[in-house]
Amino acid sequence: MQSKPIPRVFVSYSHDSDEHRESVFHLIQALRRNGVDAWADFFVESDPPSNWPVWMQNQVEEADYVLMVVTETYARRFNQKEVPGVGAGVRWEGTLITADIYYSTDNKVKYIPVIFSPEDFEHIPAPLKVTNRYVISPEDDSSLIPLLRHLLQAPEFVPAQIGEAPPLISRESTPSANLAIDPRIASAIHLSESDPKAALDDLTQLLNLLHGPQRAIAYCAMGEIHQRMGFWAPALTVYQRALESTPDRQAAEVAARNMRLALDAMEWHFRDGGPVDTANKFTRAIKKGKFNRAWGLLTPKLRLVLAQAWVWANKDHESLAPFDRDDLAKNLSTMKPNHPLARAFSATQLGEFQKSFSAIDETWGAASNPRPIGIDYELVVLSPTGGDIVIFDEQTGPLQTAPFLMKQLMGQWRVENFWPAYPIPGWPPSREEIPAEVSNLTIIPTTEDGEGESG
C-alpha cells in the first residue's frame, strides 16, 4: 500500500507575547511529531531570508494547508486595523490569504483557523468563519486529534466497503454451542464487578480443581480482572498460563489479544519520552541542580500552583508588598520568569525539590504497572528497585514510594503533581485527591515530613 504524502503546513501567527509564542511553537512541534511537516519563522530566525515578504509568500503558496492561530491581535492585523508599523508580517500574510481565497477555484480547504481559547472564536476573520475551525488546548493533548485527522486526511469514520449480499438461508439445525463456562468461574466473574480482589482469590483456589479449557478460561478471567484494576504485569503472567493450559480456540484468541494490549501498554509506559522516562528526567535534573531543565518538565498548572504556594507562604514578607500576587505568580510560573523575585523563588523551589527527592538515586526504578488515571493522565511510581522494573504487592506497596502524576500535553508527558492528586490553582492553592481505588496504590511518602505532594 502506498503511504500518503506528508502534508506541508505553514503556521501564521501574531507575536502577542512570549507565552503565546511558546504555545504556537509547542503546537508546531506537536504537529511535526505526529506526521505533519509544520513550518514557521521559528526555524529560519538564525538564518533569516534576505526578503521576508517574499519568503512568506513562498511559504503560503507551497503549503498544502495554512494554519492561522487567531487571537484578537492577529485579527486586528489580518484585517488591516493595526497601527502603522506594527504587525507587518500578519498584515502581509492576511493580504496574501484573502486574495487567494477570493480568486481560488479550488474547493479544498487550505486556510484553517486555530484558536487556543473558545473566547477567540469571535476574532476569526469573516472569510474563514465558513469553514472548519479547531480549538487547541495546550493542556489537553486529545484536542489536537481533530486537526490531525484533517491535515493527515485520516477520518475517524469511514464507510464500509459494499460487499455481496449473504445467502440468508434458513436452517433447521442450530450451530454447536461454545464450551460452557464452569458455574464457579461464572460466579467469580460476576463477583469481580463488586469485589475484584475476592474474585481473584476465588479463581486462584479454583485453578487446582480445573483442567484443560476450563483452567484456561479461569486464567483469562483473572487476566481481565487484573487489566481492569490496572495491574498489567500480573495480567501478562496469567494470559501466558492460559495459553499453556490447552485452551479452546475462543479462550486462546482472548488470551493472545489481551496479551498484545498489555504489552502495548507496558511499552507505552516505559518508552523514551514516555511517563516513566519523563519522571526520571525530572529527578535527575533536580539531583544535578538544573532547575530550568526540571521546571520545563512540569505542566503549566503545576508551575502556577508552586508559584502560588511560594507567594502565599511569603505573603507577609515586605519584599512581596509592592506586587500584585496574581501577576507575580503568573510571571514566576512561566518557563523563563523575568520578575525581580524570580531568582529568590527558583532558589527556594530548587531547595524544596532537592529535599523532597533526596532519597531517589540510580538505585530507584519504576513499578511495572502502568496506572492510567483518566484521559491523558498516568500515575508513575518510583521506588527502590536496584534500577530495575519491580513488581510489588499492590496492597502493601514497597517500603518507599515516590508517586508522580503525569499528564500528556501536545504529545509530551509532563509532571502534573508529586502526589496522586490534581493540583488546583488558587489562594491558597489546593488539590483534589485521586481515590485509592482509581490509583490502585497505597502510598508511603518518602519525604521527612510525610508530605510528598506539591502543596
Side-chain angles (χ1 to χ4, degrees), residues 109-165:
V109 176
K110 178 173 180 176
Y111 302 99
I112 304 173
V114 169
I115 54 179
F116 289 149
S117 169
E119 297 175 356
D120 284 321
F121 171 73
E122 62 180 288
H123 302 306
I124 295 176
L128 300 168
K129 283 188 175 180
V130 295
T131 187
N132 281 23
R133 68 270 183 186
Y134 298 93
V135 181
I136 306 297
S137 171
E139 296 188 3
D140 181 8
D141 188 64
S142 63
S143 68
L144 194 63
I145 293 176
L147 175 60
L148 283 173
R149 290 192 178 280
H150 186 157
L151 300 178
L152 297 172
Q153 294 294 285
E156 181 177 4
F157 303 103
V158 295
Q161 186 175 4
I162 299 176
E164 295 183 5

Coordinates of all heavy atoms in Angstrom, one line a residue, residues 109-165:
V109 N -10.2 23.0 1.3 CA -10.0 23.9 2.4 C -8.5 24.0 2.7 O -7.9 23.1 3.1 CB -10.7 23.5 3.7 CG1 -10.4 24.5 4.8 CG2 -12.2 23.5 3.4
K110 N -7.9 25.2 2.4 CA -6.4 25.3 2.6 C -6.1 26.2 3.8 O -5.1 25.9 4.5 CB -5.8 26.0 1.3 CG -4.3 26.3 1.5 CD -3.7 26.8 0.2 CE -2.2 27.0 0.4 NZ -1.5 27.4 -0.8
Y111 N -7.0 27.1 4.1 CA -6.7 28.0 5.2 C -7.6 27.7 6.4 O -8.8 27.7 6.3 CB -7.0 29.5 4.8 CG -6.1 29.9 3.6 CD1 -6.6 29.8 2.3 CD2 -4.8 30.2 3.8 CE1 -5.8 30.1 1.2 CE2 -3.9 30.5 2.7 CZ -4.5 30.5 1.4 OH -3.7 30.7 0.3
I112 N -6.9 27.3 7.5 CA -7.7 26.7 8.6 C -7.4 27.5 9.9 O -6.3 27.7 10.3 CB -7.2 25.3 8.9 CG1 -7.3 24.4 7.6 CG2 -7.9 24.6 10.1 CD1 -6.7 23.0 7.8
P113 N -8.5 28.1 10.4 CA -8.3 28.9 11.7 C -8.1 28.0 12.9 O -8.8 27.0 13.0 CB -9.6 29.7 11.8 CG -10.6 29.0 11.0 CD -9.8 28.2 9.9
V114 N -7.2 28.3 13.8 CA -7.0 27.6 15.0 C -7.0 28.6 16.1 O -6.4 29.7 16.0 CB -5.6 26.9 15.0 CG1 -5.2 26.4 16.4 CG2 -5.6 25.8 14.0
I115 N -7.7 28.3 17.2 CA -7.7 29.1 18.4 C -7.3 28.4 19.6 O -7.6 27.1 19.7 CB -9.1 29.8 18.6 CG1 -10.2 28.7 18.6 CG2 -9.4 30.8 17.5 CD1 -11.6 29.3 18.8
F116 N -6.7 29.0 20.6 CA -6.3 28.4 21.8 C -7.4 28.5 22.9 O -7.3 27.9 24.0 CB -5.0 29.0 22.4 CG -3.8 28.6 21.5 CD1 -2.7 29.5 21.4 CD2 -3.8 27.4 20.9 CE1 -1.6 29.1 20.6 CE2 -2.7 27.0 20.1 CZ -1.6 27.9 20.0
S117 N -8.4 29.3 22.7 CA -9.5 29.5 23.6 C -10.8 29.7 22.9 O -10.8 30.5 21.9 CB -9.2 30.7 24.6 OG -10.4 31.0 25.3
P118 N -11.9 29.1 23.3 CA -13.2 29.4 22.6 C -13.6 30.8 22.6 O -14.3 31.3 21.7 CB -14.2 28.6 23.5 CG -13.4 27.5 24.2 CD -12.0 28.2 24.4
E119 N -13.0 31.7 23.5 CA -13.3 33.1 23.5 C -12.8 33.8 22.3 O -13.3 34.9 22.0 CB -12.7 33.7 24.8 CG -13.3 33.2 26.1 CD -12.6 33.7 27.3 OE1 -11.6 34.5 27.1 OE2 -13.1 33.4 28.4
D120 N -11.8 33.2 21.6 CA -11.3 33.8 20.4 C -12.1 33.5 19.2 O -11.7 34.0 18.1 CB -9.8 33.4 20.2 CG -8.9 34.1 21.2 OD1 -9.1 35.2 21.5 OD2 -7.9 33.4 21.7
F121 N -13.1 32.8 19.3 CA -13.9 32.5 18.1 C -14.4 33.8 17.4 O -14.4 33.9 16.2 CB -15.1 31.6 18.4 CG -16.1 31.4 17.3 CD1 -15.7 30.6 16.2 CD2 -17.3 32.1 17.3 CE1 -16.6 30.5 15.1 CE2 -18.2 31.9 16.2 CZ -17.8 31.1 15.1
E122 N -14.8 34.7 18.2 CA -15.4 36.0 17.6 C -14.3 36.7 16.8 O -14.7 37.6 16.0 CB -15.9 36.9 18.7 CG -14.8 37.3 19.7 CD -15.4 38.2 20.8 OE1 -15.7 39.4 20.5 OE2 -15.5 37.7 22.0
H123 N -13.0 36.4 17.0 CA -12.0 37.2 16.3 C -11.6 36.5 15.0 O -10.8 37.1 14.3 CB -10.7 37.3 17.2 CG -11.0 38.0 18.5 ND1 -11.6 39.2 18.6 CD2 -10.8 37.5 19.8 CE1 -11.7 39.5 19.9 NE2 -11.2 38.5 20.6
I124 N -12.1 35.3 14.7 CA -11.8 34.7 13.4 C -12.3 35.6 12.3 O -13.5 36.0 12.2 CB -12.5 33.3 13.3 CG1 -11.9 32.4 14.4 CG2 -12.2 32.7 12.0 CD1 -12.6 31.0 14.4
P125 N -11.4 35.9 11.3 CA -11.8 36.8 10.2 C -13.0 36.2 9.4 O -13.1 35.0 9.3 CB -10.5 36.8 9.4 CG -9.4 36.6 10.3 CD -10.0 35.6 11.3
A126 N -13.8 37.1 9.0 CA -15.1 36.7 8.3 C -14.9 35.7 7.2 O -15.6 34.7 7.1 CB -15.8 37.9 7.8
P127 N -13.9 35.8 6.3 CA -13.7 34.8 5.2 C -13.5 33.4 5.7 O -13.6 32.4 5.0 CB -12.5 35.4 4.4 CG -12.4 36.8 4.8 CD -12.9 36.9 6.2
L128 N -13.0 33.3 7.0 CA -12.7 32.0 7.5 C -13.7 31.3 8.4 O -13.5 30.2 8.9 CB -11.3 32.1 8.2 CG -10.2 32.5 7.4 CD1 -9.0 32.9 8.3 CD2 -9.8 31.5 6.4
K129 N -14.8 32.1 8.7 CA -15.8 31.5 9.6 C -16.7 30.6 8.9 O -17.6 29.9 9.6 CB -16.6 32.7 10.2 CG -15.9 33.5 11.3 CD -16.8 34.5 12.0 CE -16.1 35.1 13.1 NZ -16.9 36.1 13.9
V130 N -16.6 30.4 7.6 CA -17.5 29.5 6.9 C -16.9 28.1 6.7 O -17.5 27.2 6.1 CB -17.8 30.1 5.5 CG1 -18.6 31.4 5.6 CG2 -16.5 30.3 4.7
T131 N -15.7 27.9 7.3 CA -15.1 26.5 7.2 C -14.8 26.0 8.6 O -15.1 26.7 9.6 CB -13.8 26.6 6.4 OG1 -13.3 25.3 6.2 CG2 -12.7 27.4 7.1
N132 N -14.2 24.8 8.7 CA -13.9 24.3 10.0 C -12.8 25.1 10.8 O -11.9 25.7 10.2 CB -13.3 22.9 9.8 CG -14.3 21.8 9.5 OD1 -15.4 22.2 9.0 ND2 -14.1 20.6 9.8
R133 N -13.0 25.2 12.0 CA -12.0 25.8 12.9 C -11.8 24.8 14.1 O -12.6 24.0 14.4 CB -12.4 27.2 13.4 CG -13.6 27.2 14.4 CD -14.9 27.3 13.7 NE -16.0 27.3 14.6 CZ -17.3 27.3 14.2 NH1 -17.6 27.2 13.0 NH2 -18.3 27.4 15.1
Y134 N -10.6 24.9 14.7 CA -10.2 24.0 15.7 C -9.7 24.7 16.9 O -8.9 25.7 16.9 CB -9.1 23.1 15.2 CG -9.6 22.2 14.0 CD1 -9.4 22.7 12.7 CD2 -10.2 21.0 14.2 CE1 -9.8 21.9 11.6 CE2 -10.7 20.3 13.1 CZ -10.5 20.7 11.8 OH -10.9 20.0 10.7
V135 N -10.3 24.2 18.1 CA -9.8 24.8 19.4 C -8.8 23.8 19.9 O -9.0 22.6 20.2 CB -11.0 24.9 20.4 CG1 -10.5 25.5 21.7 CG2 -12.1 25.7 19.8
I136 N -7.5 24.3 20.1 CA -6.4 23.5 20.6 C -6.1 24.0 22.0 O -5.7 25.1 22.2 CB -5.2 23.6 19.6 CG1 -5.6 23.3 18.2 CG2 -4.1 22.7 20.2 CD1 -6.0 21.9 18.0
S137 N -6.2 23.1 22.9 CA -5.9 23.4 24.3 C -4.5 22.9 24.6 O -4.2 21.7 24.5 CB -6.9 22.8 25.3 OG -6.4 23.0 26.6
P138 N -3.6 23.8 25.0 CA -2.2 23.4 25.4 C -2.2 22.4 26.5 O -1.2 21.7 26.7 CB -1.5 24.7 25.8 CG -2.3 25.8 25.1 CD -3.7 25.3 25.1
E139 N -3.3 22.3 27.3 CA -3.3 21.4 28.4 C -4.1 20.1 28.1 O -4.4 19.3 29.0 CB -3.9 22.1 29.7 CG -3.0 23.2 30.1 CD -3.5 23.8 31.5 OE1 -4.5 23.2 32.0 OE2 -3.0 24.8 31.9
D140 N -4.5 19.9 26.9 CA -5.4 18.7 26.5 C -4.9 18.2 25.2 O -5.2 18.7 24.1 CB -6.8 19.1 26.4 CG -7.7 17.9 26.1 OD1 -7.2 16.8 26.1 OD2 -8.9 18.1 25.9
D141 N -4.0 17.2 25.3 CA -3.4 16.6 24.1 C -4.4 16.1 23.1 O -4.2 16.1 21.9 CB -2.4 15.5 24.5 CG -1.6 15.0 23.3 OD1 -0.8 15.8 22.8 OD2 -1.8 13.8 22.9
S142 N -5.5 15.6 23.6 CA -6.6 15.0 22.8 C -7.2 16.0 21.9 O -7.8 15.7 20.8 CB -7.6 14.3 23.6 OG -8.3 15.2 24.4
S143 N -7.1 17.3 22.2 CA -7.7 18.4 21.4 C -7.0 18.5 20.1 O -7.6 19.1 19.1 CB -7.7 19.7 22.1 OG -6.4 20.2 22.3
L144 N -5.8 17.9 19.9 CA -5.1 18.0 18.7 C -5.6 17.0 17.6 O -5.4 17.2 16.4 CB -3.6 17.8 19.0 CG -2.6 18.1 17.9 CD1 -2.6 19.6 17.6 CD2 -1.2 17.7 18.3
I145 N -6.3 16.0 18.1 CA -6.7 14.9 17.2 C -7.6 15.3 16.1 O -7.3 14.9 14.9 CB -7.3 13.7 18.0 CG1 -6.3 13.1 19.0 CG2 -7.9 12.7 17.1 CD1 -6.8 12.1 19.9
P146 N -8.6 16.1 16.3 CA -9.5 16.5 15.1 C -8.7 17.2 14.0 O -8.9 17.0 12.8 CB -10.5 17.4 15.8 CG -10.6 16.9 17.2 CD -9.2 16.6 17.6
L147 N -7.8 18.1 14.5 CA -6.9 18.8 13.5 C -6.0 17.9 12.8 O -5.8 18.0 11.5 CB -6.1 19.9 14.2 CG -5.1 20.7 13.3 CD1 -5.8 21.4 12.2 CD2 -4.3 21.7 14.2
L148 N -5.4 16.9 13.5 CA -4.5 16.0 12.8 C -5.3 15.1 11.8 O -4.8 14.8 10.7 CB -3.9 15.0 13.9 CG -2.8 15.6 14.7 CD1 -2.4 14.6 15.8 CD2 -1.6 15.9 13.8
R149 N -6.5 14.8 12.1 CA -7.4 14.0 11.2 C -7.6 14.8 9.9 O -7.6 14.3 8.8 CB -8.7 13.6 11.8 CG -8.6 12.5 12.9 CD -9.9 12.0 13.3 NE -9.8 10.9 14.3 CZ -9.5 9.7 14.0 NH1 -9.2 9.3 12.8 NH2 -9.4 8.8 15.0
H150 N -7.8 16.1 10.0 CA -8.0 17.0 8.9 C -6.7 17.0 8.0 O -6.7 16.8 6.8 CB -8.4 18.4 9.3 CG -8.8 19.3 8.2 ND1 -9.6 20.4 8.4 CD2 -8.4 19.3 6.9 CE1 -9.7 21.1 7.3 NE2 -9.0 20.4 6.4
L151 N -5.6 17.3 8.7 CA -4.3 17.5 8.0 C -3.8 16.2 7.3 O -3.2 16.3 6.2 CB -3.3 18.1 8.9 CG -3.6 19.5 9.6 CD1 -2.5 19.8 10.5 CD2 -3.8 20.5 8.5
L152 N -4.0 15.1 8.0 CA -3.5 13.8 7.6 C -4.5 13.1 6.7 O -4.2 12.0 6.2 CB -3.1 13.0 8.7 CG -1.9 13.5 9.6 CD1 -1.7 12.7 10.9 CD2 -0.6 13.6 8.8
Q153 N -5.7 13.7 6.5 CA -6.7 13.0 5.8 C -7.0 11.6 6.3 O -7.0 10.6 5.6 CB -6.4 13.0 4.3 CG -6.3 14.3 3.6 CD -7.7 15.0 3.5 OE1 -8.5 14.7 2.8 NE2 -7.9 16.0 4.4
A154 N -7.2 11.6 7.6 CA -7.4 10.3 8.3 C -8.7 10.4 9.1 O -8.8 10.6 10.3 CB -6.3 10.0 9.3
P155 N -9.9 10.2 8.4 CA -11.2 10.4 9.0 C -11.4 9.3 10.1 O -10.9 8.2 10.0 CB -12.2 10.2 7.9 CG -11.4 9.4 6.8 CD -10.0 9.9 7.0
E156 N -12.1 9.7 11.1 CA -12.4 8.8 12.2 C -13.4 7.7 11.7 O -13.4 6.6 12.1 CB -13.0 9.5 13.4 CG -13.3 8.6 14.6 CD -13.8 9.4 15.8 OE1 -13.9 10.6 15.7 OE2 -14.0 8.8 16.9
F157 N -14.4 8.2 10.9 CA -15.4 7.3 10.4 C -15.3 7.1 8.9 O -15.3 8.1 8.2 CB -16.8 7.8 10.8 CG -17.0 8.0 12.3 CD1 -16.9 9.3 12.8 CD2 -17.2 7.0 13.1 CE1 -17.1 9.5 14.1 CE2 -17.3 7.2 14.5 CZ -17.3 8.4 15.0
V158 N -15.2 5.9 8.4 CA -15.2 5.6 7.0 C -16.3 4.6 6.7 O -16.6 3.7 7.4 CB -13.8 5.1 6.6 CG1 -12.7 6.1 6.8 CG2 -13.5 3.8 7.4
P159 N -16.9 4.7 5.5 CA -17.9 3.8 5.1 C -17.3 2.4 4.8 O -16.3 2.3 4.2 CB -18.5 4.4 3.8 CG -17.4 5.3 3.3 CD -16.6 5.8 4.5
A160 N -18.0 1.4 5.2 CA -17.6 0.1 5.0 C -17.7 -0.2 3.5 O -18.6 0.3 2.8 CB -18.4 -0.9 5.8
Q161 N -16.8 -1.1 3.0 CA -16.9 -1.5 1.6 C -18.2 -2.3 1.3 O -18.5 -3.2 2.1 CB -15.7 -2.3 1.1 CG -15.6 -2.6 -0.3 CD -14.4 -3.3 -0.7 OE1 -13.5 -3.6 0.1 NE2 -14.2 -3.5 -2.0
I162 N -18.9 -2.0 0.3 CA -20.1 -2.7 0.0 C -19.8 -4.1 -0.6 O -19.1 -4.2 -1.6 CB -21.0 -1.9 -1.0 CG1 -21.4 -0.6 -0.4 CG2 -22.3 -2.7 -1.3 CD1 -22.2 0.3 -1.3
G163 N -20.2 -5.1 0.1 CA -19.9 -6.5 -0.4 C -21.2 -7.1 -1.0 O -22.2 -6.5 -1.2
E164 N -21.0 -8.4 -1.2 CA -22.2 -9.2 -1.8 C -23.2 -9.5 -0.7 O -22.8 -9.8 0.5 CB -21.7 -10.5 -2.4 CG -20.8 -10.2 -3.6 CD -20.3 -11.5 -4.3 OE1 -20.8 -12.6 -3.8 OE2 -19.5 -11.5 -5.2
A165 N -24.4 -9.5 -1.0 CA -25.4 -9.9 -0.1 C -25.3 -11.4 0.3 O -25.0 -12.2 -0.6 CB -26.8 -9.7 -0.6

